[in-house]
Amino acid sequence: MTRLTRRHATELETISVTVTAEAVEAYEDALAVVCTTIGIFEMDDSQLFWRVEGVRDAGHGEVELTGALAIAAAVTGHEATLDRTRTEAEGWLARTYESFPEQTVGQRFAVRGTHLAPSERSRRITITLDAGVAFGSGEHGSTRGCLRALEAVAHRRPRRILDMGCGSGILAMAAAALLHRPVLAIDIEPWSVRTTARNAELNGLGPLIDARLGNGWRTPGLSRRAPFDLVFANILARPLCLMAQDLALHLSPGGTAILAGLLNSQAGMVLAAHRRQGLVLERRLREGDWTTLVLRKPSGAVI
């Protein structure tokens, strides 16, 4: 998983921790307090240990980082050692471009960076992103799983669509382009909202994407747009569990929820939380270490 939110730093620093799978989420949140990009890498085939790595402006937010790491250690009971490496900004951006070739996903989608020449022959729906600004570039298993799930449910022609935790806006744009319907895209991060709006304009989808800053289901005005026929929530396992009741309340009878951002080992926990709210599992998609759940609200259910 990679998150990119700023560019043009003059000097960068890579910081990383090695933690157990259970501690990944807490330490990802800790590094995200100061880092411009976050990556999660499996250390071996056992899936027991993972490296959480971030890039930040050198020396940025040292006090905030120390506090965030202390909270992560207290929450998980795992005190990780922080490793630091200087990183040249120009070289980092070049490597970002090199690691962002065109991504083809499923039967319908292609995701490509602005640094690549346009492809005139592709019959796929092509979504263009700036690899130096956007996160959620289509290479991550969670994003790919969501796009494949969208293909599988598109025949239902959902009219009211929500992308909760929109990131780069890639899922909102994919839904708008495929279904020709407006999409409400919400994120708690101002950078994500601005990036989503910018990417929507870049792809000619600006009129269909309403990107808003908000705190999950408590976002002002969100309830007035409900119920939703299709909800994307590519977030993390723990927040998904906490939001299960609100999701069920805001999903229309017969509506579909596509949930992602969870490791294969976390899928059962997330599924159980949503089954308790009356949602049923329709499909489970795996992309490497990551699972995407496609859930549906029974047609006879009342909000």
Side-chain angles (χ1 to χ4, degrees), residues 1-301:
M1 178 182 296
T2 302
R3 297 199 252 180
L4 306 175
T5 56
R6 288 207 305 266
R7 64 187 301 182
H8 303 314
T10 56
E11 187 176 8
L12 300 177
E13 180 183 38
T14 298
I15 57 177
S16 65
V17 293
T18 299
V19 297
T20 60
E22 292 77 13
V24 165
E25 184 177 330
Y27 276 93
E28 180 189 9
D29 290 343
L31 266 60
V33 169
V34 297
C35 290
T36 58
T37 177
I38 300 291
I40 303 174
F41 307 94
E42 186 179 359
M43 298 297 292
D44 53 48
D45 294 336
S46 68
Q47 298 187 17
L48 294 177
F49 293 97
W50 297 72
R51 187 175 82 256
V52 183
E53 179 180 292
V55 177
R56 65 170 178 169
D57 296 347
H60 168 65
E62 192 66 25
V63 173
E64 291 85 350
L65 175 62
T66 300
L69 289 173
I71 292 173
V75 168
T76 63
H78 181 105
E79 187 169 351
T81 300
L82 185 69
D83 294 321
R84 306 168 184 262
T85 306
R86 293 287 179 177
T87 304
E88 292 184 8
E90 185 174 334
W92 168 72
L93 186 57
R95 289 193 297 275
T96 298
Y97 285 161
E98 290 173 2
S99 65
F100 187 13
E102 179 173 285
Q103 306 285 329
T104 57
V105 186
Q107 302 298 314
R108 305 292 296 275
F109 296 106
V111 183
R112 57 192 358 257
T114 52
H115 60 291
L116 298 174
S119 176
E120 299 180 357
R121 296 184 178 181
S122 177
R123 296 183 179 180
R124 292 174 175 262
I125 294 172
T126 301
I127 298 170
T128 302
L129 303 173
D130 185 342
V133 176
F135 50 91
S137 55
E139 87 285 1
H140 189 262
S142 289
T143 306
R144 296 179 67 87
C146 287
L147 292 174
R148 288 173 54 204
L150 173 60
E151 287 186 355
V153 304
H155 65 279
R156 294 177 185 148
R157 309 301 298 174
R159 298 177 61 84
R160 290 162 295 188
I161 305 170
L162 171 66
D163 184 3
M164 179 66 76
C166 56
S168 67
I170 185 171
L171 301 179
M173 291 187 292
L178 179 62
L179 301 168
H180 308 290
R181 298 295 304 173
V183 181
L184 176 60
I186 293 175
D187 205 287
I188 197 170
E189 272 286 343
W191 272 98
S192 296
V193 177
R194 290 194 289 270
T195 298
T196 292
R198 183 164 54 243
N199 284 334
E201 292 294 335
L202 176 65
N203 286 271
L205 296 168
L208 290 175
I209 306 295
D210 181 6
R212 295 191 179 187
L213 182 68
N215 185 10
W217 295 104
R218 294 190 292 274
T219 300
L222 176 61
S223 294
R224 292 196 298 270
R225 304 279 289 268
F228 296 97
D229 305 312
L230 175 61
V231 174
F232 296 99
N234 183 9
I235 311 177
L236 291 169
R238 189 173 300 142
L240 286 174
C241 291
L242 294 174
M243 297 164 67
Q245 183 177 34
D246 285 323
L247 170 62
L249 289 172
H250 290 84
L251 194 62
S252 63
T256 304
I258 297 175
L259 310 183
L262 49 144
L263 295 166
N264 295 333
S265 59
Q266 299 170 324
M269 171 182 68
V270 175
L271 178 57
H274 289 81
R275 278 177 167 162
R276 286 194 291 271
Q277 303 303 323
L279 303 187
V280 296
L281 177 66
E282 188 172 79
R283 191 182 300 257
R284 187 193 305 244
L285 302 172
R286 286 193 176 188
E287 286 276 349
D289 300 316
W290 303 89
T291 290
T292 298
L293 299 175
V294 182
L295 306 177
R296 200 167 189 192
K297 185 171 184 174
S299 296

